[in-house]
Amino acid sequence: DDFNAIDPAVISTGMGEMWMSFGSFWSGIKLIQLSPITGKRLDENAPLTAIANYPEIEAPHIVEHQGWYYLFVNWGKCCRGLESTYEIRLGRSRDIRGPYLDKAGRDLAYGGGTLFLGSDGPFIGPGHANVRREADRFLFSCHYYDGTRKGKSMLAIQPLVWTHEAWPELINLHDTRKQRSHR
């Protein structure tokens, strides 16, 4: 195969469909539909849908909000502590199958992707985005490497809000009182 089957992320849509995004590096991020009953691939013969590509890409996560699907992906290299180059990129689509376009209208399948979160001072290599909805509140989580702790792996959990243009945005990113370490 020309794809790397890692970093799976499953989403159940408001229409009751289940989809799984996965992949990295080799030929980008893929999407398949799953059976909501069995959790297995709905149609074994259906082709994979390519939804994002970049030379160093992995860790997809799709979130549905107000008629949009938002695709978070990582660019760069993970797991190198202070030398990690990870950053989280973003695009959105009205259809879960894409195309996912960034804020400039570039397709993520062809190298597009708006920078959502990158390294900033001691906050190094954020990756593996996840968004959780609790009633009307959204929480964003990702791992990062703490430059004040010799690159120790940490977990950041922060409030996420939506702009008037319907793009996600973080608040209170560096409030370390809400960050927890993980192994």
Side-chain angles (χ1 to χ4, degrees):
D1 293 324
D2 71 343
F3 60 89
N4 192 357
I6 65 168
D7 296 333
V10 175
I11 177 175
S12 179
T13 71
M15 297 177 6
E17 298 173 331
M18 279 183 57
W19 296 83
M20 183 174 69
S21 56
F22 63 91
S24 73
F25 284 71
W26 302 351
S27 65
I29 305 301
K30 309 296 184 198
L31 182 73
I32 59 172
Q33 189 171 9
L34 303 176
S35 164
I37 296 168
T38 67
K40 295 181 180 182
R41 193 167 178 186
L42 188 64
D43 180 354
E44 287 289 328
N45 298 316
L48 299 175
T49 302
I51 57 174
N53 201 356
Y54 188 76
E56 296 175 341
I57 190 170
E58 60 188 9
H61 178 67
I62 299 173
V63 176
E64 184 179 11
H65 181 66
Q66 295 184 345
W68 289 100
Y69 293 95
Y70 297 85
L71 172 61
F72 295 84
V73 295
N74 271 99
W75 285 10
K77 293 184 177 159
C78 175
C79 311
R80 290 170 168 78
L82 299 175
E83 303 301 316
S84 293
T85 61
Y86 247 14
E87 59 185 34
I88 299 171
R89 296 282 176 150
L90 173 69
R92 70 181 181 187
S93 176
R94 290 286 187 185
D95 185 326
I96 195 163
R97 294 165 294 201
Y100 287 89
L101 305 179
D102 64 17
K103 288 183 180 181
R106 297 171 299 187
D107 191 333
L108 272 66
Y110 300 99
T114 298
L115 179 63
F116 180 74
L117 184 60
S119 293
D120 183 12
F123 184 85
I124 300 167
H128 289 85
N130 192 284
V131 177
R132 176 177 170 81
R133 182 178 184 170
E134 295 178 347
D136 292 337
R137 183 176 145 194
F138 292 84
L139 295 173
F140 175 86
S141 68
C142 69
H143 69 73
Y144 70 99
Y145 303 95
D146 189 340
T148 66
R149 296 182 182 175
K150 299 180 183 177
K152 182 178 181 180
S153 182
M154 302 291 288
L155 175 65
I157 301 172
Q158 300 296 327
L160 180 135
V161 296
W162 301 91
T163 68
H164 293 295
E165 296 82 29
W167 287 97
E169 183 176 87
L170 293 177
I171 56 175
N172 301 325
L173 177 63
H174 299 293
D175 183 353
T176 56
R177 292 171 296 178
K178 297 189 184 204
Q179 297 169 358
R180 301 179 184 107
S181 71
H182 77 289
R183 300 186 201 284

